[in-house]
Amino acid sequence: MTRLSAYLLPTEKEAPADAEAVSHKLMVRAGLVRQMGAGMWTWLPAGWRVHQRVVEIIRQEMDAIGAQEMLMPVLQPAEPWRKTGRLDIDELFKLTDRKGSELVLAMTHEEAVTFHVAQTVRSYRDLPLILYHFQVKERDEPRPRAGVLRTREFIMKDSYTFDQNRAGLDAAYEKHVGAYDRILDRCGLEWYRVKADVGMMGGLGAHEYMAPCAAGENDVALAPGYAANLEVASAQAQPVSLPSPLDAPELVQTPGLTTVEQVARELGVEPGALLKAYPIVLDSGELKLVLVRGDHRVNEIKLRGALKQDFRPAHVEEVTQRLGPPGFIGPVGAEVEVLLDEAVEPGGYVTGANRPDAHLRGVEPGRDFRFHPVDVRSVVAGDTVNGAAIRIEPAIEVGNIFKLGTRYSEPLGAKYLDESGAEQLVWMGSYGFGPARAAAAAVEQFADEHGISWPRTIAPFDVDLVVLGKEGGEERAVADRLYVELQQAGLETLYDDRDANPGEKFADAELLGCPARVTVGRRTLAAGEIEVQIRRGRESRTVPLEGAAQAIAALWRELP
């Protein structure tokens, strides 16, 4: 019997002083998790039950698409990571053993699984293949925060697909789309799938599964029929009023005015009528000048994707030597390639004049400077997609899926012989899902001022049975019998048999957030009834004592 009197559930009245996220506060207060160090968390028994219920949903859906479960090590040789170019990732834990061998603590398992596939797959007959595991990941996270949402150690489900070609990869990717859709639905979360940046994973494309909530560390751009991480979102910019055109650029003195706001105010134009200059230096050493509207911001992830290589902001001395004084640089007369954001419509703009304390107005892209069009700005709320305004919401990333292509199979030698005997590279996909993040997202989305309110599919227990009565009394005898009947009805039940006052028991039940609280007390027993409170909404009702377990089970099955 799961009796609370003998169960490790250390509830707290106060949240940790450093907790900001709702899930951080409540998961600690409800006795689900405890912190051991920065970004290092222990799952206590009730919290681990939640985690493992999410895991079981994931496992069922992975098995349903033909995936095969395995387990790969966290501690790995560094050499495969060196071959894929990922050994220098700052967040990757690196260490050396007593013999001097270089090792890593894996933050993901592309290298490991590709290493094994390269050794075992020989023929097209060995493909397609879907492999997955649940494993601890280690990440040298610079700023752990928000409880279990951003940690240095966590458990993740990652699956990997191996196919003969792009068509096979696309089919495997769609299988995972369907599986992930079902996982999120079964976990009872509000969610959406968004277009995403491939990031350090590399490859041909990616999507993220987002759960909207205030504690989310990702911003998502949403419109009817459109969803994308703000890192990659594109949209039609809101129009800006431009000054009347000029026959040629006109020099204006702007002493000491180096910000968009200062210049716009001085010249009586909207900030969006300025072109903001962002000089960058590529890995190759080439200097380029990126221009966006004055009311927009450069999105460095989109810019990196457009360049197809890394870059850094130009240093002051580089700007001064190649263009002009910082704060007054612009495209007219610049002897560098200009990248102009696509949101800049035709017309006359204000730009820096590449000389101290001066700007140009009436500058027209194409007429006064040559440029290469790129989409490199961050979209903002109110921009449109197909005529519909975008809104931007914070969200938790609970899963991600990537089309890796041959990004890992090529450096690690994962090849197969096709039907004609020719050697081909294996095409891969990678698919991650965080059970801890799904659990935290559920807390964030459904908690109220009294505590957690779990979706019934991932709650630590289906029912919280509370007895109000002393040992040897009628209430205790009825509760003991009802506990057994609830278990027999298929409901996992936490039995609060503590010698505590009703207020404490009710407060802990609401904090823990099981979908239904069943109370056995003198008043309702006298009426031949049992009280049931639905946690979400805190609606109370009664069921007859006779057949109470079956009535409660039927009620539970209707809960969200």
Side-chain angles (χ1 to χ4, degrees), residues 487-499:
Q487 293 285 100
Q488 292 173 343
L491 297 180
E492 297 191 14
T493 303
L494 177 65
Y495 183 11
D496 189 349
D497 63 336
R498 296 175 297 167
D499 185 16

Side-chain angles (χ1 to χ4, degrees), residues 131-362:
L131 303 173
Y132 79 102
H133 71 165
F134 293 91
Q135 180 58 291
V136 170
K137 312 292 183 185
E138 305 287 351
R139 180 183 174 93
D140 193 3
E141 175 60 52
R143 291 175 298 278
R145 58 175 293 273
V148 300
L149 279 176
R150 181 165 287 278
T151 61
R152 306 179 82 190
E153 178 178 286
F154 53 95
I155 292 173
M156 186 171 171
K157 185 285 300 176
D158 39 325
S159 54
Y160 303 93
T161 59
F162 303 88
D163 288 277
Q164 296 181 41
N165 48 40
R166 175 64 184 266
L169 168 58
D170 290 346
Y173 194 85
E174 288 306 312
K175 282 185 178 181
H176 276 80
V177 167
Y180 274 39
D181 289 359
R182 292 187 294 273
I183 289 168
L184 270 297
D185 284 343
R186 289 182 62 185
C187 286
L189 296 177
E190 297 174 8
W191 61 274
Y192 30 70
R193 180 185 345 111
V194 306
K195 182 181 177 184
D197 177 54
V198 297
M200 69 173 184
M201 301 293 290
L204 307 172
H207 287 83
E208 293 167 336
Y209 281 79
M210 296 290 195
C213 69
E217 54 194 13
N218 295 93
D219 287 322
V220 178
L222 299 168
Y226 180 80
N229 192 307
L230 196 61
E231 294 176 341
V232 299
S234 296
Q236 179 70 36
Q238 298 167 71
V240 64
S241 177
L242 297 176
S244 299
L246 302 176
D247 292 336
E250 178 183 292
L251 185 70
V252 290
Q253 297 302 314
T254 52
L257 306 182
T258 59
T259 70
V260 169
E261 291 74 18
Q262 290 171 336
V263 175
R265 187 166 51 249
E266 176 70 16
L267 300 183
V269 297
E270 296 182 19
L274 276 71
L275 293 184
K276 185 162 52 179
Y278 181 45
I280 61 171
V281 177
L282 309 187
D283 276 354
S284 62
E286 182 183 2
L287 189 145
K288 293 179 184 281
L289 187 63
V290 181
L291 298 178
V292 296
R293 268 176 30 182
D295 58 340
H296 290 161
R297 292 176 54 247
V298 172
N299 181 321
E300 294 196 355
I301 291 175
K302 291 171 71 173
L303 177 55
R304 191 168 286 110
L307 295 169
K308 294 184 170 53
Q309 60 177 297
D310 208 354
F311 67 90
R312 62 170 173 81
H315 301 317
V316 170
E317 58 273 16
E318 293 169 322
V319 175
T320 303
Q321 181 180 0
R322 297 288 305 277
L323 293 167
F328 299 96
I329 62 174
V332 179
E335 296 181 355
V336 298
E337 183 181 4
V338 174
L339 304 178
L340 181 68
D341 184 66
E342 293 174 352
V344 177
E345 297 285 347
Y349 291 84
V350 176
T351 74
N354 292 327
R355 64 178 71 179
D357 298 325
H359 281 77
L360 296 172
R361 59 183 169 193

Side-chain angles (χ1 to χ4, degrees), residues 400-454:
N400 49 53
I401 54 180
F402 297 90
K403 292 184 179 182
L404 300 177
T406 59
R407 162 70 177 85
Y408 295 87
S409 54
E410 185 168 2
L412 296 175
K415 301 176 181 178
Y416 71 97
L417 297 179
D418 66 17
E419 294 183 43
S420 65
E423 193 172 66
Q424 305 288 348
L425 288 169
V426 173
W427 285 66
M428 291 177 56
S430 174
Y431 316 84
F433 197 100
R437 283 177 162 250
V443 176
E444 293 282 342
Q445 289 184 346
F446 303 115
D448 60 21
E449 66 271 24
H450 302 283
I452 300 170
S453 176
W454 292 108

Side-chain angles (χ1 to χ4, degrees), residues 478-559:
V478 171
D480 286 349
R481 186 170 66 252
L482 182 57
Y483 173 82
V484 174
E485 292 171 352
L486 288 169
Q487 293 285 100
Q488 292 173 343
L491 297 180
E492 297 191 14
T493 303
L494 177 65
Y495 183 11
D496 189 349
D497 63 336
R498 296 175 297 167
D499 185 16
N501 65 62
E504 181 180 352
K505 290 188 173 189
F506 292 154
D508 282 351
E510 292 192 323
L511 185 59
L512 181 60
C514 296
R517 186 191 78 207
V518 176
T519 304
V520 179
R522 183 181 307 169
R523 179 179 56 82
T524 51
L525 280 185
E529 296 175 330
I530 298 290
E531 181 188 8
V532 182
Q533 185 192 70
I534 307 307
R535 176 63 187 88
R536 195 168 301 178
R538 304 177 74 219
E539 174 196 350
S540 293
R541 62 185 73 179
T542 58
V543 297
L545 180 58
E546 184 69 29
Q550 293 301 324
I552 293 167
L555 180 61
W556 177 86
R557 284 191 289 269
E558 299 299 318
L559 299 179

